[in-house]
Amino acid sequence: MKFCVDTDKKNSWYIGTDNYDQFLLNKVESLMAQGNGYLGIRAVSEERQLDERRNMFVAGTFDEYPGEVTELPNLPDLINMEIVIDNQVLSLRDGRIEKYHKYLNLKNGELVRIFTWIINGKKVFFKFSRFVSMKDKHLIVSKVEISSDQDNLNIQIRSGIDGQQTNSATQHLMEGDKRLYEDRFIQLVEETQQSHIKFVFNVRHKVYVDNVLLNIRPYIKMGRRQIFGNYDLNLNRDQTFTLVKYSNVYTSLDQDIKTKELATQSIIKLKDNCKKSYRELLQTSTKVWNKEVWQKSFVEIDSEDIRPQTAINFARYQLAVNTPRDPRMNIGAKGITGEGYKGHTFWDTEIFMLPYYIFTMPNIARDLLTYRYLGLAGAHKKAQANNYRGAQFPWEAAIVEEGETAPLWGSADIVTGESMKIWSGFIEQHVTSDVVIAVMEYLNATGDQEFAEKMGYEMILDVAKFWSSRLEYDQDHDRYEITDVIGPDEYKEHADNNAFTNYTAQWCLQSGIKVYEFLLKEHPDIYEKLNTKMNLENEYPDWLERVNKIYLPRPNQDGIIPEDDKYLQREEIDVTRYQANNQVSDVFKDYNLAQINKMQVTKQADVLLLIYLFEDMFSDEIKADNWNYYEPRTTHDSSLSLSTHAILANDLGLSSAAYRFYEKACEIDLGVHIGKAAQGIHMAACGGIWNMTVEGFGGLRIENGQLRIEPALPKDWHGMEYQINWQESLVHVKVIPGQMIVAVSGPEIEFVSHKQIYRVPADSEITVEVSVKTEI
Ligand code: BGC
């Protein structure tokens, strides 16, 4: 594995770099981004730099600029500090930089940057540190420490709130009041243009020399959307100057504050925080990281190579930083680490990130699924607009009840020169099934009856209603088809009978039928309620008539499941050079989408994802045949592809291929290639790292509603341990060569391993012999 950032030799909790590398600037800003699920800030430097992307977002605060697509507004900059030393503006491009080191402590989210700036014959030592609190989600604390080898060094600092940020030139925020309270606290109030969400930003600085707090008042300067405090003082060679900046952010969507009194209440909160030191606040935040993240998602890999552990730490860090703990919001494809995908949510959440939450923090999984439940209004709207019934979930989701948010137009076609229409919002329909796949997985793992009764059953039934109305009857074959869709392989637009779409649609209909019959028999009260709401008794006969007539592309004589009706007849080209190239979408340099549509070129796991998700539907031979067929035709241009390939390869006993895919998947963000991480982290790839580690090598799956544990570790791993939640119990799995120990806290559990059923009595453990799969 090649990581863009160094990992300290023995410490898998640090990612860092000793190079100030302009080329990797944006990537490092994304990789080391900080946050707490509520707000996210890129790891920009305090002083401004060329080509930087200074972003701060608060989850869920979408706004739609006229004529543009809804997006998360880029908020005022609270990180910027302009520093002038003896009349020379701090810039890493001037003078000489020595001993540069920038690192992120993944364990508590503290970002530190240290360097010596040699300028005009002086050596000036800088240390910048900051964190976003996990304890108080509104709070950001930053600190700069400066010392030098000279007497009488003049330091001027301008720091405050700079609302002149934009989303690539779009300004979402209208300026409100700018204020100073008690000579020390500065405040900017703003409001989004269209969604009218109010924001309040507050800052207070504390200045110390040699740890003694100075009683100095800042000289305040205001500009358009800007309010700064200015400090000016002289320092001797044996002294250290420290400035601590306490900032907070509140919005009118917050539920933990009286939103009518945002401006005054938020100042009171900041005052409280200012009573504590940087260190004290970091300590309380660190405790929350430990308790809420690291203990709950415990994974330890025993290997000489620390990179696998770094990768899983990084993935869990990013998931924690980018997941809102509020059911009105969901995880963006790039989280809140950059402008990419505008903060929108895709199927990435359900298929790639939810397994992590279902097994480690089921309450968060429930919130993420609740978001889809709250989104039913938008899903109905979308179905109706397309003349379907039931719930058709949006391909891209933002404001929970608004439904489809996908953009209509993309960049220009290299052949025609015209803007390309983005069809996903219209015809990439598998997302509706993906939601139900996740609901079922959640219910199987947790047995959360309350969720099922309040939300889960309704979602399953509403989706069955959609698919039933979506099916097209083909008289010639007396069967139902689904034509004109995009499957997970987005390089095939307007495909007929995409295997992934058809199989999952049938499965959703089967699930709807099961839930319908179960409720009718076991819970007539719930049945009645839902029947009144959804007219189910009129739907059900159709479901029964249709479900077994849905056309499923079956394996052909060579065992290949056709990805769609035409795929296997399309022209074949050699994709190895696109696979070998580490930049994504290189195939577009040679062909346009219309041309790629006619070729056997697959963007990402499609049939193979189906096989992975519904593994008990297909034999090992069919799995291997499809692996051998599709992988060589896949460019892996989506960050969602590699993790599925790694897991499937491991399942097939192809352990070296599995490890190769695993390493590449870990490098999607952490790797040396710039890729798209410049615009934000790939959240689904982070989920994928956990999936490959725990579901892949750790062998954790749900099969027919039952827990299955069949580890198969890479050859260089001596062992691994992980913890999951299963029903009411916490389950700790330890794998060592030839053995696994499954320990339970809580009630008895049952699991399957290699077709044998094991029981672990309440609060005890058992040891199971594990056979090692060998390469075939
Ligand atoms: C992928 C989609 C994915 C989206 C957001 C696209 O490139 O093809 O499957 O949902 O990115 O991550």
Side-chain angles (χ1 to χ4, degrees):
M1 267 185 261
K2 288 198 197 100
F3 286 171
C4 146
V5 288
D6 332 308
T7 52
D8 182 315
K9 299 205 178 24
K10 279 175 261 34
N11 198 329
S12 59
W13 291 103
Y14 287 86
I15 55 173
T17 167
D18 291 333
N19 292 318
Y20 164 61
D21 185 343
Q22 178 68 29
F23 196 54
L24 287 173
L25 180 75
N26 294 144
K27 181 163 176 135
V28 167
E29 288 166 0
S30 299
L31 280 185
M32 300 192 192
Q34 297 167 288
N36 53 21
Y38 172 80
L39 64 85
I41 305 179
R42 286 169 69 81
V44 290
S45 58
E46 281 68 11
E47 73 284 0
R48 292 190 174 278
Q49 296 192 20
L50 196 67
D51 295 332
E52 63 186 355
R53 295 182 190 201
R54 304 188 81 84
N55 290 152
M56 174 168 85
F57 303 106
V58 169
T61 58
F62 290 100
D63 184 63
E64 191 178 323
Y65 192 79
E68 297 190 353
V69 178
T70 299
E71 66 184 337
L72 285 180
N74 185 15
L75 300 175
D77 186 356
L78 299 171
I79 299 304
N80 174 234
M81 290 181 191
E82 292 304 321
I83 301 177
V84 180
I85 304 285
D86 286 345
N87 289 323
Q88 175 84 35
V89 178
L90 171 66
S91 157
L92 300 195
R93 293 181 158 242
D94 296 327
R96 221 171 68 231
I97 300 296
E98 274 183 4
K99 297 188 185 147
Y100 182 89
H101 190 46
K102 177 170 182 170
Y103 64 88
L104 175 70
N105 180 350
L106 297 167
K107 201 149 199 183
N108 64 4
E110 190 189 28
L111 180 70
V112 175
R113 193 165 57 112
I114 304 169
F115 57 89
T116 305
W117 189 37
I118 300 159
I119 189 84
N120 304 333
K122 296 168 203 145
K123 276 191 172 182
V124 192
F125 311 104
F126 285 92
K127 180 174 181 189
F128 294 95
S129 325
R130 65 179 193 248
F131 65 93
V132 173
S133 174
M134 262 293 170
K135 169 82 180 155
D136 175 349
K137 65 184 186 185
H138 305 277
L139 181 69
I140 306 151
V141 193
S142 349
K143 183 166 74 169
V144 50
E145 292 157 271
I146 306 174
S147 58
S148 83
D149 63 352
Q150 306 275 319
D151 278 335
N152 215 16
L153 190 84
N154 179 251
I155 302 176
Q156 291 172 34
I157 297 193
R158 189 199 75 174
S159 165
I161 310 168
D162 180 1
Q164 292 189 356
Q165 305 302 309
T166 64
N167 290 63
S168 309
T170 290
Q171 175 57 268
H172 284 279
L173 295 159
M174 297 183 289
E175 188 181 22
D177 285 347
K178 282 179 290 220
R179 278 205 54 174
L180 176 67
Y181 290 89
E182 297 170 25
D183 292 342
R184 300 281 191 279
F185 292 86
I186 57 179
Q187 181 174 75
L188 174 68
V189 179
E190 295 198 308
E191 188 175 321
T192 52
Q193 310 246 19
Q194 168 267 335
S195 54
H196 298 292
I197 298 170
K198 276 211 173 64
F199 284 88
V200 180
F201 308 91
N202 300 301
V203 164
R204 158 162 203 188
H205 300 98
K206 281 186 171 180
V207 178
Y208 302 81
V209 170
D210 290 341
N211 295 325
V212 177
L213 180 65
L214 306 186
N215 186 18
I216 49 172
R217 281 174 45 190
Y219 162 59
I220 301 296
K221 244 185 138 176
M222 298 194 201
R224 247 173 126 174
R225 292 183 168 81
Q226 290 179 322
I227 173 160
F228 298 116
N230 292 270
Y231 299 86
D232 187 336
L233 56 82
N234 291 339
L235 200 68
N236 284 336
R237 73 174 71 201
D238 49 353
Q239 293 182 312
T240 301
F241 166 88
T242 306
L243 180 135
V244 183
K245 179 175 186 177
Y246 299 80
S247 316
N248 69 11
V249 182
Y250 282 82
T251 88
S252 53
L253 295 184
D254 293 339
Q255 292 175 326
D256 56 347
I257 190 162
K258 288 187 199 140
T259 46
K260 286 213 173 75
E261 296 162 30
L262 267 193
T264 46
Q265 294 292 316
S266 59
I267 284 281
I268 295 174
K269 303 270 183 196
L270 192 64
K271 271 191 193 167
D272 253 11
N273 283 317
C274 288
K275 289 181 194 144
K276 303 209 179 78
S277 68
Y278 177 95
R279 230 177 98 115
E280 285 165 329
L281 291 166
L282 179 61
Q283 270 166 358
T284 36
S285 171
T286 306
K287 278 193 194 137
V288 180
W289 270 100
N290 277 334
K291 187 159 163 269
E292 295 302 323
V293 183
W294 307 121
Q295 283 175 21
K296 290 186 175 168
S297 66
F298 175 80
V299 184
E300 226 165 71
I301 297 162
D302 181 4
S303 160
E304 266 90 55
D305 183 356
I306 66 154
R307 286 168 301 178
Q309 186 69 47
T310 307
I312 189 79
N313 292 346
F314 173 78
R316 291 181 295 155
Y317 169 84
Q318 291 294 353
L319 284 156
V321 160
N322 290 293
T323 304
R325 279 50 155 193
D326 182 330
R328 296 170 299 167
M329 295 150 201
N330 205 289
I331 313 170
K334 302 256 181 189
I336 36 179
T337 65
E339 274 188 42
Y341 288 126
K342 302 179 181 302
H344 295 180
T345 292
F346 294 67
W347 69 311
D348 304 31
T349 299
E350 279 76 17
I351 301 298
F352 297 90
M353 294 178 251
L354 260 165
Y356 167 74
Y357 282 118
I358 287 172
F359 282 114
T360 63
M361 297 163 213
N363 56 329
I364 296 183
R366 184 181 160 129
D367 279 356
L368 292 166
L369 290 171
T370 304
Y371 171 84
R372 292 297 192 178
Y373 181 77
L374 299 175
L376 279 176
H380 292 150
K381 198 164 79 182
K382 178 165 178 174
Q384 277 159 19
N386 293 323
N387 288 323
Y388 305 130
R389 297 191 303 277
Q392 182 180 12
F393 285 104
W395 175 246
E396 293 188 30
I399 297 175
V400 66
E401 65 281 356
E402 281 203 351
E404 189 56 70
T405 325
L408 295 183
W409 301 102
S411 45
D413 181 311
I414 58 151
V415 175
T416 66
E418 288 170 13
S419 282
M420 290 188 284
K421 180 154 178 170
I422 301 180
W423 283 99
S424 295
F426 300 96
I427 57 173
E428 192 153 359
Q429 296 166 351
H430 63 86
V431 57
T432 295
S433 302
D434 304 327
V435 171
V436 173
I437 293 173
V439 168
M440 284 300 219
E441 189 174 352
Y442 173 78
L443 291 178
N444 281 327
T446 61
D448 183 347
Q449 204 48 37
E450 200 211 358
F451 174 81
E453 291 177 12
K454 278 197 176 149
M455 294 178 257
Y457 294 146
E458 185 175 339
M459 287 158 90
I460 296 166
L461 293 164
D462 228 352
V463 166
K465 205 169 152 178
F466 163 72
W467 280 121
S468 169
S469 72
R470 171 66 182 85
L471 296 171
E472 302 148 58
Y473 186 59
D474 168 13
Q475 212 155 10
D476 296 345
H477 300 93
D478 184 26
R479 67 185 190 190
Y480 287 92
E481 302 195 331
I482 304 175
T483 64
D484 195 17
V485 296
I486 300 178
D489 170 13
E490 293 180 342
Y491 288 172
K492 299 290 156 286
E493 289 184 333
H494 309 292
D496 295 339
N497 295 314
N498 165 260
F500 188 92
T501 308
N502 286 25
Y503 275 84
T504 57
Q506 187 195 53
W507 181 82
C508 285
L509 213 47
Q510 288 165 343
S511 306
I513 291 170
K514 272 192 217 147
V515 168
Y516 180 95
E517 291 170 354
F518 168 75
L519 292 180
L520 188 62
K521 198 157 153 246
E522 307 288 338
H523 294 284
D525 48 329
I526 304 176
Y527 170 82
E528 270 318 320
K529 211 176 81 202
L530 293 177
N531 186 33
T532 313
K533 198 167 174 182
M534 300 160 81
N535 198 9
L536 295 172
E537 61 196 348
N538 282 343
E539 294 285 336
Y540 175 70
D542 279 353
W543 299 357
L544 287 183
E545 192 268 326
R546 290 172 185 206
V547 67
N548 294 321
K549 285 191 185 170
I550 298 180
Y551 167 59
L552 299 181
R554 300 274 181 205
N556 65 12
Q557 64 284 6
D558 300 322
I560 312 305
I561 300 167
E563 191 187 288
D564 60 49
D565 281 355
K566 297 206 188 100
Y567 190 95
L568 301 182
Q569 287 80 52
R570 289 186 175 116
E571 183 196 341
E572 299 198 50
I573 65 158
D574 181 7
V575 305
T576 39
R577 68 196 165 111
Y578 304 119
Q579 289 182 328
N581 196 330
N582 284 303
Q583 298 302 330
V584 290
S585 307
D586 258 13
V587 66
F588 283 100
K589 289 185 184 151
D590 298 329
Y591 306 101
N592 71 0
L593 192 54
Q595 292 166 321
I596 298 169
N597 255 314
K598 296 191 187 120
M599 296 167 178
Q600 294 198 31
V601 178
T602 296
K603 181 180 183 188
Q604 64 201 85
D606 186 304
V607 169
L608 296 186
L609 181 63
L610 174 72
I611 288 179
Y612 162 57
L613 292 174
F614 294 90
E615 51 181 322
D616 52 331
M617 275 192 205
F618 307 99
S619 68
D620 279 357
E621 288 71 38
I622 295 291
K623 287 179 190 172
D625 289 342
N626 283 279
W627 165 270
N628 291 329
Y629 191 82
Y630 284 108
E631 195 291 315
R633 289 166 173 78
T634 305
T635 58
H636 305 294
D637 279 344
S638 156
S639 64
L640 280 51
S641 191
L642 293 165
S643 62
T644 307
H645 281 80
I647 300 175
L648 209 52
N650 213 44
D651 286 357
L652 290 168
L654 304 167
S655 42
S656 32
Y659 206 69
R660 205 163 19 91
F661 281 102
Y662 163 79
E663 289 193 308
K664 283 181 92 174
C666 291
E667 289 171 4
I668 288 171
D669 288 314
L670 282 168
V672 288
H673 302 285
I674 306 170
K676 287 187 176 160
Q679 293 220 46
I681 288 299
H682 297 84
M683 292 309 302
C686 293
I689 293 177
W690 187 86
N691 299 342
M692 291 186 294
T693 310
V694 176
E695 299 202 321
F697 302 130
L700 174 83
R701 302 288 165 83
I702 300 177
E703 191 181 316
N704 296 321
Q706 248 190 333
L707 181 64
R708 193 183 84 194
I709 314 178
E710 291 177 2
L713 299 194
K715 69 174 179 3
D716 292 336
W717 293 13
H718 308 306
M720 76 178 288
E721 289 180 55
Y722 58 85
Q723 179 185 285
I724 55 148
N725 292 60
W726 180 255
Q727 306 288 329
E728 309 277 282
S729 301
L730 268 186
V731 183
H732 187 102
V733 180
K734 180 171 181 173
V735 187
I736 49 174
Q739 273 190 345
M740 72 172 165
I741 299 143
V742 180
V744 166
S745 334
E748 173 183 282
I749 66 150
E750 201 179 273
F751 70 92
V752 185
S753 191
H754 299 287
K755 305 212 172 0
Q756 205 170 322
I757 295 181
Y758 296 89
R759 273 190 194 86
V760 192
D763 298 310
S764 56
E765 63 176 51
I766 64 164
T767 302
V768 178
E769 305 298 311
V770 282
S771 62
V772 181
K773 280 198 184 177
T774 46
E775 193 107 1
I776 52 169

